[in-house]
Amino acid sequence: MLCTHSASAIDAKQPNIVILLADDLGWSDVGFHGSDIKTPNLDKLANEGVKLKQFYVQPTCSPTRIGLMTGRYPYHIGGHICVLRPYHQHGLPLDEYMLSEVMQDAGYRTAITGKWHLGLAKRSYWPTSRGFDLAYGHLGGAIDYFEHTGYGSLDWYDQDTIPLHVEGYTTDLIGNRASQIIKDHDFEAQPLFLYVPFNAPHAPLHAKPSDIANYSGVKDEKRRTYCAQVDCMDQQIGHIVQALVEKGVARNTLVFFASDNGGYGQVADNAPLRGTKGTLFEGGVRVPSFIVWPDRLTGGRSFEPPLHIVDLLPTFSGLAGGITSKCKALDGIDFWPALANDQAMPKRDIYHNVHDSKGGRGSIRSGDWKLIVTLAEKADDGMPLENPKHVALLFDIRRDPFEQQNLATNHPEIVAALWKKIKARGPDVGDAHPYTARAPKDWVAPSDWSDAPE
């Protein structure tokens, strides 16, 4: 879906846009979803804004970031199954026009502070080559919160200074830099697009002792550390919001929050949703989310229609007066008229994933129905299909949001219709082999990424 927007579609004054992205945050690990983890800053924003009750992402890190930055499902480029690793020699394809570039063309100062995870081995894949004026943080995925190393390499940078040797806890460093960017920015000269992808609470489980002490009542040591990681992220989000207030721009700033996927393993709390990070169940792809814009959006409410991370590019570019004609055909839609003006949402299906070009594995949300076609070993309640290795699971998400009752045998006609839609997308699935490739036997992690070629 190709969308363009003109400046006449928005107020003369463009909004500042801040995207806050958590990493592996569980559905029930925020106060506004009933958690015991202390998230007062997130709770305040959520209660003042609009809670997005059915906001969907991809099951893992890099795929969600691909969807966010391109407005397109990652299966188009083969980036839908695995995350980018430091030994991979590719990144988000250079012919994909990104949200940061759309915002830059619309007159915004663009900045990222945090986790990139869209290409590391070549500088042409780095943020400053992809539409960001300012860039700070780490390029890869998992990172030591204190040593700033990933896969044995020092992975911390500031613009073109790489490696950057600096002391500090990554969540604090990311948040402090975001706040400083706001304090230093001339909002009278141009609006700000600020993308803050925290690496918290992604593994490894590292937290500051002062934050861990706040959860002495949590018996499980790993869960205790995880709670502290989330708590620290919330503190930094509070500092970022305070910087906007002190600068006098909070009312004309749109703040969006979500996690990049569901929580992982036994540490995060995705209950009552089924599944975890890496799965196509709701616990893997449905995440806590809200949007706040005091000047233009009536808050204190919830928004029920399903949304997807690919919707942010067309929606935010529309609000910014950006033009998306340089983008490839978008999968996302502009949901702002429905969110702000109570207009009907455009009818569309959401593809949680299209796994392969011929086998028909994947997942689709169509109206209230959700179909998952997966390997039999991954779902003991699946209905066998023609290929005995594959099973189908069909859920009525409106009536059964926790995916407890597989209705595939009750409605084989719906299974057939939705499976046909998934298989119809097969020819559009890109080659995933570069993303699933393992490290070469002779690969040795560099000490840092300063010698990365252009």
Side-chain angles (χ1 to χ4, degrees), residues 176-249:
N176 289 340
R177 175 54 63 92
S179 296
Q180 193 61 51
I181 288 171
I182 293 168
K183 293 174 183 178
D184 293 343
H185 185 67
D186 183 355
F187 288 91
E188 293 297 323
Q190 64 182 148
L192 176 66
F193 173 73
L194 176 59
Y195 173 39
V196 190
F198 289 98
N199 64 307
H202 193 289
L205 291 169
H206 291 167
K208 296 179 297 182
S210 58
D211 291 325
I212 295 175
N214 293 330
Y215 297 92
S216 58
V218 178
K219 293 182 179 180
D220 183 86
E221 181 181 0
K222 291 182 178 180
R223 173 69 180 175
R224 190 185 316 137
T225 303
Y226 173 89
C227 292
Q229 289 177 294
V230 177
D231 188 318
C232 184
M233 179 183 67
D234 181 80
Q235 294 174 43
Q236 285 301 328
I237 287 172
H239 296 329
I240 292 169
V241 172
Q242 185 59 31
L244 293 168
V245 171
E246 292 177 357
K247 198 73 173 181
V249 297

Side-chain angles (χ1 to χ4, degrees), residues 16 122 130 137 153 294 315 358 446:
N16 306 297
K122 296 180 181 179
R130 308 303 300 269
S153 303
T315 300
K358 295 181 180 179

Side-chain angles (χ1 to χ4, degrees), residues 31 40 66 83 93 127 198 210 230 258 296 308 319 359 386 397 403 431:
I66 292 170
V83 301
F198 289 98
S210 58
V230 177
R296 290 280 303 278
H308 194 278
L319 294 172
E386 299 101 38
I397 296 299
E403 299 171 303
D431 183 10

